[in-house]
Amino acid sequence: AHQTDALAELVCSNSFRSDDAENNAVGLLHAEMRALGSVIMAAADAHKVPAGSALAVDREGFSAAVTERLAAHPNIDIVRERVDALPASGLTIVATGPLTAAKLAESNGAATGSDALAFFDAIAPIVHRDSIDMDVAWMAARWDKGGKDYVNCPLDKDQYHAFVEGLLAGEKTTFRDWEKDTPYFEGCMPIEVMAERGLETLRFGPMKPVGLDDPRTGRWPYAVVQLRQDNALGTLWNMVGFQTKLKHAEQVRLFRTI
């Protein structure tokens, strides 16, 4: 959930996905938003960090820029108070985020005719750059596309299988009553849930080695964990596609085996 009082705070990944307007629909949407003068895209461009052909941002600088821009806008008032119900009249855009209070959720449900509107996410781990062993890992983007912007941590077959076993056996955070039956969003699924689908599933998902030549061998590794820069200083790196419900101690124990 959100940690600050800033607007447009990124609570999961710092990536806006592909920025390739020629070959990717998301990149084309970025280009269209820029042409329309999007505040979000202007802030993202001003605070982007290296991420190959993707658009990733320093999350604190990005959020601060959006907050500053909106606070200075003459037609926008920022009111910081709890809202318990939708307005009785007029046009309203509601974007209440992952932790909507009960009374407003009831008001939303009454207006939409739905019992509940779901929002589900998991923790996205971040590691310190100086903890990465660059004698083993190397810098590259997949297919060398967009520069050598990602740290790539290779695993051989035995290491990968041991990692999957650790994921399945690791102690998970207990679900709260209101989230036990929430369906997972396929585009942001915890890695241990993917691992439950089959031993090789992660190798065809966030740990796929395709297009990444290990300079020590000249070949693709059996599996790979990619890290993407998370802040402007380059001291923090995000584990790409590694949303998880593992408890913190389990994350420390297991992820340090990579």
Side-chain angles (χ1 to χ4, degrees):
H2 298 87
Q3 302 294 314
T4 76
D5 62 354
L7 307 178
E9 181 182 344
L10 301 176
V11 298
C12 186
S13 171
N14 70 323
S15 172
F16 290 3
R17 300 175 59 196
S18 175
D19 204 36
D20 183 354
E22 295 293 327
N23 301 294
N24 188 283
V26 177
L28 179 59
L29 179 60
H30 290 175
E32 292 171 344
M33 291 173 70
R34 289 186 179 102
L36 291 168
S38 164
V39 172
I40 293 294
M41 294 308 301
D45 288 338
H47 294 278
K48 65 182 178 181
V49 296
S53 60
L55 174 61
V57 302
D58 177 292
R59 62 182 72 224
E60 292 184 2
F62 165 77
S63 180
V66 173
T67 303
E68 182 180 0
R69 181 81 176 270
L70 294 183
H73 198 290
N75 296 333
I76 296 175
D77 291 325
I78 299 176
V79 180
R80 298 185 180 276
E81 63 184 38
R82 195 177 77 187
V83 176
D84 287 333
L86 298 178
S89 62
L91 296 175
T92 305
I93 297 172
V94 181
T96 59
L99 295 176
T100 306
K103 289 185 178 180
L104 183 57
E106 292 172 2
S107 182
N108 290 345
T112 61
S114 300
D115 290 336
L117 304 176
F119 183 107
F120 192 93
D121 207 349
I123 299 165
I126 293 174
V127 301
H128 289 276
R129 175 65 171 78
D130 60 10
S131 71
I132 303 167
D133 184 357
M134 294 306 296
D135 289 335
V136 178
W138 78 99
M139 300 292 299
R142 204 176 300 277
W143 302 115
D144 293 326
K145 186 177 180 181
K148 296 183 178 182
D149 292 339
Y150 290 81
V151 174
N152 300 279
C153 306
L155 289 82
D156 62 27
K157 186 174 182 179
D158 290 341
Q159 291 169 334
Y160 171 77
H161 287 171
F163 182 76
V164 172
E165 289 177 9
L167 279 177
L168 297 177
E171 189 176 2
K172 318 299 191 297
T173 301
T174 304
F175 285 99
R176 297 178 177 86
D177 288 339
W178 51 265
E179 65 179 347
K180 285 180 179 178
D181 298 320
T182 303
Y184 285 106
F185 171 47
E186 290 285 334
C188 194
M189 182 174 292
I191 53 172
E192 61 272 11
V193 176
M194 282 188 273
E196 291 172 355
R197 295 183 171 184
L199 181 60
E200 300 297 301
T201 301
L202 289 172
R203 290 186 62 236
F204 292 88
M207 296 179 72
K208 66 181 178 184
V210 175
L212 294 167
D213 296 323
D214 188 334
R216 297 181 302 167
T217 65
R219 300 171 61 86
W220 298 347
Y222 192 79
V224 69
V225 175
Q226 283 198 306
L227 309 176
R228 179 181 59 239
Q229 187 171 331
D230 199 80
N231 65 348
L233 291 175
T235 57
L236 301 176
W237 289 68
N238 190 295
M239 299 179 72
V240 178
F242 260 62
Q243 294 77 223
T244 181
K245 293 286 283 187
L246 287 173
K247 288 189 173 181
H248 183 263
E250 292 289 79
Q251 293 181 45
V252 172
R253 179 188 62 80
L254 184 61
F255 293 163
R256 279 181 175 167
T257 67
I258 297 173

